[in-house]
Amino acid sequence: MKKIILGAALLGTVFGSGLPVMAKDVSAEALESAVNRGFEYRNNGTGIAMELPASRVENPDSNDTMYQAFLPDSHISVTIMSKAARQPRNEKKIQEYRKNSENFLKTSRQDEKEVPISFKKGKLAGEPVIITKSRGTSEQGAYNVLRYWVTLADGDYMISFTMKEGDMKANEKTVERLLDSVRFFTPMQRVEIKGTVYTYDIPANMKVDYKPPIAPDHVLVAGNLSLMTGVTALPLTDNEELSFLPESLSGLTKEEQASIIDHFKAKVASEANGKKVKNMKFKFTTLYGRDCLTMDFEDKDSHNQSYIFVQDGKYISFDYIYTDKDKEYAEKVIEQSVKSISL
């Protein structure tokens, strides 16, 4: 809990009035055009992206945690602050963090120069967000700050908009347009599959282990507290138990597909935990231009997904394992990871 309170306090302290905010008004059409010709702020380390106008003036002190820019067309100061979680948070932990942040934002003064005006909840990029509004005074006059606070499985995020108090109404659609461009994603790392030219993306907070005997058939094993993944790349000619596989999964008849599925079922059933496996599902499909067989099954309280390819005389399988409590996180990450597979 202390970490959450300290994090919220840090956010409030770092961002007071921000960059200069005194400005002339600008038409919504002009800003929309600027955004469309604009720039994507993207923090791959924390998992947030947002479109900004090309005319922005960036603060040279911006870093991996904090990004600041001044938008001269609307005279809005934008701040994006983000921090990645060390491990993905489950739903219970996310709710705990959100509750602590909510209590802090309701009861604490984020900046002694500012006076809180409003507090409400909403949605940002489909995620729950706390929205705070405050008023402050500088040598340039009165200003308002809108802050959007988001806590997700992958980290904590705050986006603020600081502007002259009299510009709030005129800039409503501008802020809305900027917020519509916000995206959150899981920070990923690209890993090489040892002994091959294959690569794929996995969560950045996963520890990668190439050493057996954790999984002797796998040339890569990695995981965090919510998801395990591994890759198998076995030569068909050296592995008799895979001799049922053709040189390619392309152009197979229904009978050939059925035979392959039957062999995989028998193979899984013969393994140590084979009798505990249930709900096996197979599907021949094309995955980003490559013929692929997907295999899903449950093993005790774990869900297993495999994306199987036959190429270069090898059986290649990208495997993912997770429990039901981590299903939402895992499915989102697996989708990103599978899209990144390079063979």
Side-chain angles (χ1 to χ4, degrees), residues 139-155:
E139 294 180 357
Q140 296 173 304
Y143 62 87
N144 286 134
V145 187
L146 280 172
R147 293 186 176 95
Y148 294 76
W149 310 78
V150 179
T151 296
L152 300 176
D154 295 310

Side-chain angles (χ1 to χ4, degrees), residues 11-279:
L11 292 175
T13 300
V14 170
F15 307 114
S17 58
L19 301 175
V21 297
M22 310 307 282
K24 63 181 181 180
D25 292 335
V26 64
S27 70
E29 291 80 5
L31 182 75
E32 183 171 17
S33 176
V35 170
N36 290 338
R37 300 193 309 271
F39 153 84
E40 182 189 53
Y41 166 75
R42 182 181 178 89
N43 191 325
N44 289 321
T46 61
I48 183 172
M50 179 178 175
E51 297 288 336
L52 293 170
S55 59
R56 75 203 179 283
V57 179
E58 296 181 340
N59 185 338
D61 293 330
S62 295
N63 52 48
D64 292 341
T65 300
M66 178 193 72
Y67 173 86
Q68 287 185 312
F70 180 62
L71 313 184
D73 292 335
S74 55
H75 281 225
I76 296 175
S77 294
V78 178
T79 298
I80 303 171
M81 191 168 184
S82 55
K83 183 178 180 181
R86 283 192 164 189
Q87 289 289 335
R89 302 160 179 160
N90 59 32
E91 188 59 29
K92 181 180 179 181
K93 184 64 68 175
I94 292 172
Q95 294 302 329
E96 178 186 331
Y97 274 47
R98 285 175 181 162
K99 189 65 176 179
N100 291 337
S101 297
E102 180 180 338
N103 291 337
F104 172 80
L105 293 171
K106 281 182 175 179
T107 60
S108 301
R109 290 288 295 273
Q110 299 163 42
D111 190 320
E112 61 182 11
K113 298 178 182 179
E114 293 180 22
V115 176
I117 296 176
S118 64
F119 174 101
K120 63 180 180 179
K121 297 180 183 180
K123 290 279 188 178
L124 177 60
E127 304 290 351
V129 62
I130 296 174
I131 307 166
T132 61
K133 180 179 177 182
S134 58
R135 181 184 186 276
T137 304
S138 68
E139 294 180 357
Q140 296 173 304
Y143 62 87
N144 286 134
V145 187
L146 280 172
R147 293 186 176 95
Y148 294 76
W149 310 78
V150 179
T151 296
L152 300 176
D154 295 310
D156 301 289
Y157 311 87
M158 192 281 292
I159 304 171
S160 74
F161 303 91
T162 303
M163 68 199 81
K164 180 180 175 182
E165 187 173 45
D167 290 344
M168 282 293 294
K169 185 67 177 176
N171 281 330
E172 282 182 357
K173 290 192 177 297
T174 296
V175 171
E176 181 179 328
R177 219 171 354 259
L178 293 170
L179 290 173
D180 283 344
S181 72
V182 173
R183 292 186 299 109
F184 299 105
F185 54 91
T186 298
M188 306 289 274
Q189 60 177 314
R190 177 155 287 267
V191 292
E192 298 178 353
I193 312 306
K194 189 176 181 179
T196 76
V197 296
Y198 315 144
T199 63
Y200 76 137
D201 292 348
I202 62 175
N205 56 23
M206 277 189 171
K207 180 180 179 181
V208 181
D209 186 1
Y210 290 98
K211 301 175 183 177
I214 295 176
D217 289 343
H218 287 72
V219 288
L220 178 144
V221 174
N224 56 31
L225 296 179
S226 298
L227 178 68
M228 291 287 292
T229 184
V231 180
T232 301
L234 298 175
L236 296 178
T237 55
D238 297 343
N239 293 272
E240 186 176 345
E241 63 177 7
L242 296 173
S243 61
F244 65 89
L245 286 170
E247 294 182 358
S248 169
L249 297 180
S250 301
L252 299 176
T253 66
K254 290 188 179 298
E255 291 75 16
E256 289 171 329
Q257 290 180 351
S259 176
I260 291 172
I261 290 173
D262 287 341
H263 276 92
F264 269 115
K265 286 181 178 179
K267 182 177 182 298
V268 172
S270 69
E271 294 174 352
N273 292 326
K275 293 182 179 180
K276 299 177 182 178
V277 168
K278 59 182 181 179
N279 297 330

